[in-house]
Amino acid sequence: MYKLKAVVTAPVWGHYTIMATSVTLNAKQVNAGSREIINATSQLTQVLRTFENLYTQKLSSCEGMTVEAWMSAMGVERFTTTNKSGKVTKKGYTPGTIRKGWNTSMQTEAGKMCVFKNVPAKYKDEDGTVYRVFTPEETAKIDGKCVTRFMLSEIADDKWTVAIILRGLKQGRDYKKYNDRSVESELNWEELDELCVIRVVEDENGQEVREIVNVNKDEVYF
């Protein structure tokens, strides 16, 4: 349960005004609430509204080119409508206009857009707990890095940001460079044999200790 407490200020022209409320949330409400807000503002159509006040803004780093001109150079045009008299009206960017500027090699057969990124290797045990995967060398380190693969990853419907849009457009222009890096990363993955996960367990004294467990490579996923 959360608690509400009104904060009452001094009278103004004979009236008391409530300036703020103090709300106490539990950890579950904090996490769940923030997730819902992020999900509600991270759909592609919602993110694209960010551009509505930027079309004519000039980019000082690009010799005064406007945002609209820069996006056009990247292959993305604003959606347009034409009335019966032939007048063309520019609207905003849409998922469809973004997709037209997206490299087709970075799209799934269903038309979902992807970006190249480092994806961590994961392992799920019999209890459903998911772990990051490490090489034996990395488990010996306090700040060891988990195994990752640089690969194309589909953008979830609720994970869009302006940064992701621009990253995908830039990667699409230099697709060979990123694809070559992806192929190299896949070859490095294939060379790995011994993989582990780190579990935190209690020893005989009730102290939490790290336990290194070898896992089958066939059960690891990205």
Side-chain angles (χ1 to χ4, degrees), residues 166-199:
L166 301 184
R167 183 198 306 173
L169 293 174
K170 289 190 291 183
Q171 289 179 348
R173 287 172 65 89
D174 205 357
Y175 174 77
K176 185 179 184 304
K177 168 188 170 182
Y178 291 99
N179 189 59
D180 287 348
R181 182 178 165 188
S182 175
V183 171
E184 181 182 357
S185 181
E186 183 177 4
L187 293 174
N188 291 337
W189 161 249
E190 291 177 354
E191 292 176 358
L192 295 179
D193 294 319
E194 193 174 355
L195 298 170
C196 319
V197 297
I198 303 173
R199 287 175 172 164

Side-chain angles (χ1 to χ4, degrees), residues 12 18 28 49 62 71-72 93 99 105 124 127 132 151 164 173 222:
V12 178
I18 298 177
K28 181 178 180 181
R49 295 192 188 116
C62 298
M71 290 290 285
S72 178
Y93 298 124
R99 189 175 293 108
S105 296
K124 181 184 291 187
D127 296 326
R132 294 289 176 92
M151 58 193 295
I164 287 177
R173 287 172 65 89
F222 292 90

Side-chain angles (χ1 to χ4, degrees), residues 63-93:
E63 301 178 349
M65 178 184 290
T66 64
V67 169
E68 181 178 358
W70 189 91
M71 290 290 285
S72 178
M74 297 294 284
V76 178
E77 304 291 348
R78 291 167 62 182
F79 180 75
T80 59
T81 59
T82 305
N83 63 19
K84 294 180 179 180
S85 62
K87 181 182 178 181
V88 177
T89 302
K90 285 186 177 182
K91 302 292 186 178
Y93 298 124

